[in-house]
Each structure stands twice: as structure tokens, then as C-alpha cells.
Amino acid sequence: MSINPALEGRSYPAGEAYVVSREKIREFAAATKASHRAHYDQEAAAGLGHADLVAPPTFAIIVAQRADAQLIGDPESGIDFSRVVHADQRFTLHRPIVAGDELVAELHVDKVRGMGGGAMITTRSEISSTDGAAVATTISSILVRGEEAA
Amino acid sequence: MTPIDFATLEKGQDIGSTTLHVNRADLIRYAGASGDFNPIHWNERFATEVGLPGVIAHGMFTMGAAVTLVEDWTGDPAAIVDYQTRFTKPVVVQDPEGTNPSDAPGTALEVSGVIGALDEAARTARVDLTVVADGQKVLVKAQALVQL
């Protein structure tokens, strides 16, 4: 199955809110080998003026990849997840993500470019808090490798 | 927010370097923390069947681990307002015979950073990161924008 070029311009509405917990921030920080105390200790975070534990700069990938799953899981997309390679990634943080945030992500398929039998797909997640304020924009390109000729 | 004095910074200035290690247990931990359970990051058979040289680290693991250098430099993780990279080479993580995957030394990631650009009006510094594994650059255009 090949990638559906009509995906370009499509968007997927925000799903259920993702609630950022202190424990997930600690777990993600440990998993990326971050040692900064503001990810682990509320006093350290408060000392820097933050309302609660601060998420690492790439934490929003959790929310973005949940949004991406809608596209990958869409039977019309033609994307075989086992052939997906991450090509590039960008995070723009409009404000820090802290524990207690409730985040939703609207997914936009910005670009679909055929490459051989595969395709490069660029998606953008507009992440906002449930009260509507912009929190982060993530942009991700994935390369879906083409199938070898049978 | 950060103890860094913008006026003292110069383009090309070194912000330091660090060496991180990634073993198979680290990849399992990252999979759980991030929710990315693609088996190319934990199953050797599957990884080689899809044409990879072996189990590879999540690109997002490498991106996340590399930026810790910038976090420690700024003194406030929230000062990093923009961070991007391209993933160019896979980071292969071996499972050597006779080792415990939880404390095997794993693959070394050498991370270093220099100031690539300064914007006086916006008071931002762009830190350009270099990440090398097995002698090859694994990230390209890895740039973290720091608000000072």
C-alpha cells in the first residue's frame, strides 16, 4: 500500500486531554538522563519561579506522538508503522510545561512528499492547555520507507 | 531566570561537553517513559528483519539526552524555548555476550555545544549541539534556543 497523497492539508481534532503528572515528568527526565533538580524537586522548581515541576524540553513528544497515532492508525493513510523512520523534530515552547497541565493537541498534516516507493510526511501538533492557551508547537517529519519490489 | 550574563557571551563560545552512555535497559526505560514501543528499539530480530544493523536508540532518546547539556548550562530547563534536530545516523546499541543489559557500558554519546548565534534584541542564544556515537555525527542541525 502506498501513502495517500490526499493526506496533505488534513487535520485531526484534539482528543482527550493529557494530564501532566509529577511522576511522569520525573520518569521522563530520568529516562533522558536529565539531572536538573527542577524536574524532580518542587522546591527547586519553585526557586526558579515555576508553579510545579518543569517538564524537560522534549517532553511534549508524548503528547505529539499520541496525536500522530491518529494519522498512523487512520486506515486511509497507508502508513506501515514498522517502516517509519524519524527524520527530524522541532519543539517550540510558547511557555514551559509544568506538572498539573492539561494538554490537548490538534494535528495538522503539513506536507506529503513521495520518495521512491515511500514518502516523507511532515506533521505539526498545536498543543494547548484545556483553557485554550497555546503551550507548544511540535513539528515532526517521518520517512515511510518504500516496500522493496516483489 | 538563569545565572548567565548575556553580555559576556560570544558567538563560537564553548558551553562544555559531556559523555552519556546508552544501553539496552536505557532504551526499555525510554520506551516506557515516552510510550514509543516500536520494537526496532528493543528487539534485535525485528530490527535486523526490517534492515537495520541491530537495535537502535530512539532518535528522541538521543535528542532528549543531548539537551541536558544545555539545561545544566542555563540553570533553568524552561529557558530552552525552541529545540530542533535532524536524525541522520542510527545509534546502534549492542547486547554483548556475558553482560547484564542493565549495567553494560552501552554506546557512548559524546555531546558538546557551542554558541552558534546571539540575538541581542530578543536576548536569545542559539546553542549548536554536536552528538557523536561510534565516531559518527548522529544529529545534524541540533539547535537549542535559550531565552536569557
Side-chain angles (χ1 to χ4, degrees):
Chain A
M1 189 167 176
S2 58
I3 307 303
N4 181 357
L7 291 175
E8 187 169 294
R10 192 172 288 197
S11 58
Y12 294 82
E16 205 179 332
Y18 179 87
V19 182
V20 179
S21 73
R22 285 180 196 141
E23 291 312 328
K24 197 66 183 182
I25 287 178
R26 291 182 178 120
E27 182 190 358
F28 190 89
T32 51
K33 305 197 177 226
S35 56
H36 199 288
R37 297 309 303 161
H39 302 313
Y40 301 96
D41 178 66
Q42 282 167 262
E43 275 184 40
L48 293 167
H50 303 302
D52 211 311
L53 297 187
V54 182
T58 63
F59 185 89
I61 197 67
I62 297 174
V63 181
Q65 286 185 341
R66 283 175 173 227
D68 279 339
Q70 293 182 85
L71 168 68
I72 291 166
D74 184 340
E76 285 180 33
S77 78
I79 299 171
D80 174 357
F81 187 56
S82 73
R83 307 195 71 83
V84 167
V85 178
H86 202 172
D88 61 59
Q89 181 68 45
R90 181 170 192 170
F91 299 88
T92 303
L93 290 154
H94 309 303
R95 67 142 170 95
I97 294 173
V98 295
D101 279 343
E102 297 195 11
L103 304 176
V104 289
E106 191 180 82
L107 182 74
H108 301 269
V109 183
D110 283 346
K111 196 156 68 173
V112 176
R113 187 157 53 93
M115 291 180 75
M120 182 79 87
I121 302 173
T122 302
T123 59
R124 171 171 49 91
S125 283
E126 294 294 351
I127 299 175
S128 56
S129 55
T130 45
D131 59 15
V135 175
T137 301
T138 70
I139 297 174
S140 171
S141 296
I142 57 170
L143 175 66
V144 186
R145 296 181 299 153
E147 311 267 348
E148 272 75 33
Chain B
M1 288 241 303
T2 88
I4 294 169
D5 179 3
F6 186 85
T8 65
L9 300 179
E10 285 175 43
K11 193 180 166 189
Q13 186 179 327
D14 197 339
I15 69 145
S17 61
T18 186
T19 301
L20 301 162
H21 291 85
V22 52
N23 63 21
R24 291 287 180 94
D26 291 319
L27 299 185
I28 301 288
R29 188 172 297 115
Y30 183 78
S34 66
D36 182 345
F37 290 99
N38 190 327
I40 62 173
H41 304 304
W42 52 270
N43 188 287
E44 184 88 17
R45 173 189 59 75
F46 186 81
T48 52
E49 278 177 12
V50 298
L52 294 166
V55 164
I56 62 167
H58 303 75
M60 285 309 308
F61 167 82
T62 306
M63 185 180 190
V67 82
T68 62
L69 179 74
V70 186
E71 291 192 53
D72 294 339
W73 176 70
T74 64
D76 183 355
I80 299 163
V81 294
D82 194 292
Y83 180 36
Q84 65 178 311
T85 193
R86 285 205 290 261
F87 305 101
T88 45
K89 293 276 184 215
V91 175
V92 178
V93 180
Q94 309 280 2
D95 182 25
E97 278 197 34
T99 64
N100 176 336
S102 291
D103 45 50
T107 304
L109 293 173
E110 297 160 51
V111 182
S112 56
V114 295
I115 294 176
L118 290 164
D119 184 332
E120 210 166 327
R123 293 187 69 80
T124 55
R126 193 190 80 207
V127 176
D128 296 348
L129 290 166
T130 300
V131 182
V132 173
D134 295 322
Q136 286 193 306
K137 283 188 187 182
V138 295
L139 300 183
V140 162
K141 207 185 167 210
Q143 300 178 340
L145 194 68
V146 180
Q147 182 74 58
L148 296 164

